[in-house]
Amino acid sequence: MSIDLSKMATFGVAGNFTGHLEQAGEAVDFTNVKTAEAKAPKAVFPTFMPKAGKSIPEFLNVFPFDSQKIIFPEGETKLQIEPECAIICEVTYEGTQVKSLKPVLFGASNDCSIRKEGAKKISIKKNWGKSSKGLSDNLIAIDSFDESGILNRYRIASFMVRDSKVIAYGEDSAVRDYSYVYQKLVLWLIDKLNNQQNEGPAEKIGDYINEAGKPELIMVSIGATRYTDFGEHNFLANGDKSVVVVYPEDKYSSEDIKKGVENNSLNDKDVSVLSQLVVL
């Protein structure tokens, strides 16, 4: 199916891999956020809205996705890759409420983030203008969004390429190892899209979706993996390359993927690759 990301509402999930928020220095932001269980994600945050609305912050109407580059945010210093699997979902509505989500495509995503203290909302650290996020051009069809489906074979790997050296940035992680995935994630997303309130770092995204015209498709980056020690302590700089790869573990090893990044040879339609050059 052909898609136009600029016509979708796009979101991210905060805290869907145990330990990531602590590594990113953001766990404190969610101290007062109540969740159904300890391992539950913390919130859904918006990254782009295709139409303006009275409650939608203006910056969310700037399309931030670029599959080739990241434009470094002016005046900032701490910019990190957020390696994720993203899903595109067909949405059905009942009045103003999201009734159902059907995941139809997936791919590699960089939910790139500014690390800054005092930002009132997550979205402020996510969309700083054009070319601030990324989604792979190679999206793969989802047969069934459950343990028997294609995604149960896939893993997420990520790398920073600096001075021609390829360095693992996030821990190589299975999609099935997200805290919430498959039907549990879908039900949680529907609840948050309908009921999340404007509290702490979270926003009332149900209002945004309605004001944006209830888009038929939404994209959700379902959570960043934990960082390697290098990824936790090293931030992106001009000239670096960010690479996120979502790949089938029954076809490739993690070593195969790293070599493919080094040789720029990951051209398999079964592998979703996002490679972005950091520019000022």
Side-chain angles (χ1 to χ4, degrees), residues 123-266:
S123 55
I124 293 168
K125 298 182 279 189
K126 298 291 185 177
N127 183 337
W128 60 84
K130 293 178 180 178
S131 304
S132 53
K133 321 206 70 51
L135 178 68
S136 173
D137 291 327
N138 181 36
L139 300 177
I140 301 167
I142 293 173
D143 46 7
S144 59
F145 195 60
D146 55 36
E147 289 84 356
S148 68
I150 186 171
L151 265 167
N152 228 44
R153 301 163 38 217
Y154 273 76
R155 303 183 69 85
I156 307 159
S158 59
F159 307 90
M160 178 196 283
V161 184
R162 176 174 283 174
D163 300 327
S164 300
K165 292 180 183 172
V166 175
I167 310 158
Y169 201 81
E171 292 182 3
D172 189 298
S173 305
V175 171
R176 62 182 174 271
D177 288 340
Y178 274 110
S179 295
Y180 277 28
V181 71
Y182 304 138
Q183 186 64 9
K184 191 168 190 175
L185 175 66
V186 168
L187 292 174
W188 180 86
L189 283 170
I190 291 170
D191 175 61
K192 292 299 173 187
L193 291 169
N194 288 329
N195 301 313
Q196 183 170 283
Q197 298 301 305
N198 186 29
E199 295 171 344
E203 294 165 76
K204 196 174 179 182
I205 48 180
D207 288 352
Y208 294 4
I209 275 197
N210 278 276
E211 290 175 19
K214 296 192 285 193
E216 295 177 358
L217 294 171
I218 66 169
M219 188 279 279
V220 184
S221 287
I222 64 175
T225 63
R226 286 182 294 274
Y227 293 116
T228 61
D229 183 67
F230 177 86
E232 183 177 355
H233 297 104
N234 288 270
F235 301 98
L236 290 169
N238 183 44
D240 289 342
K241 191 181 287 183
S242 159
V243 184
V244 182
V245 186
V246 176
Y247 71 95
E249 65 185 9
D250 55 343
K251 202 169 178 180
Y252 298 97
S253 68
S254 58
E255 291 80 13
D256 293 334
I257 296 302
K258 186 176 182 184
K259 283 178 187 170
V261 174
E262 289 170 343
N263 302 331
N264 197 27
S265 60
L266 293 175

Side-chain angles (χ1 to χ4, degrees), residues 101-132:
L101 296 174
K102 181 186 177 184
V104 291
L105 296 167
F106 72 95
S109 166
N110 178 8
D111 197 30
C112 205
S113 191
I114 304 167
R115 302 299 177 209
K116 59 196 294 182
E117 293 181 15
K120 289 189 167 60
K121 300 295 180 186
I122 306 169
S123 55
I124 293 168
K125 298 182 279 189
K126 298 291 185 177
N127 183 337
W128 60 84
K130 293 178 180 178
S131 304
S132 53

Side-chain angles (χ1 to χ4, degrees), residues 8-80:
M8 296 183 208
T10 70
F11 301 94
V13 174
N16 202 12
F17 254 113
T18 303
H20 171 80
L21 290 175
E22 287 77 8
Q23 288 183 316
E26 294 182 338
V28 67
D29 296 344
F30 298 92
T31 303
N32 297 318
V33 174
K34 294 182 177 65
T35 57
E37 54 184 344
K39 71 170 188 174
K42 305 301 184 186
V44 176
F45 54 85
T47 51
F48 171 70
M49 288 292 138
K51 293 180 183 175
K54 64 181 185 212
S55 67
I56 299 172
E58 279 187 31
F59 72 89
L60 286 175
N61 294 136
V62 177
F63 186 67
F65 291 91
D66 190 323
S67 62
Q68 305 296 319
K69 66 179 182 290
I70 298 166
I71 297 176
F72 203 94
E74 196 172 338
E76 299 294 343
T77 55
K78 293 184 175 180
L79 187 65
Q80 275 186 305

Side-chain angles (χ1 to χ4, degrees), residues 86-112:
I87 56 174
I88 288 174
C89 302
E90 295 175 347
V91 191
T92 58
Y93 298 90
E94 197 168 74
T96 60
Q97 297 275 293
V98 172
K99 184 181 179 183
S100 69
L101 296 174
K102 181 186 177 184
V104 291
L105 296 167
F106 72 95
S109 166
N110 178 8
D111 197 30
C112 205

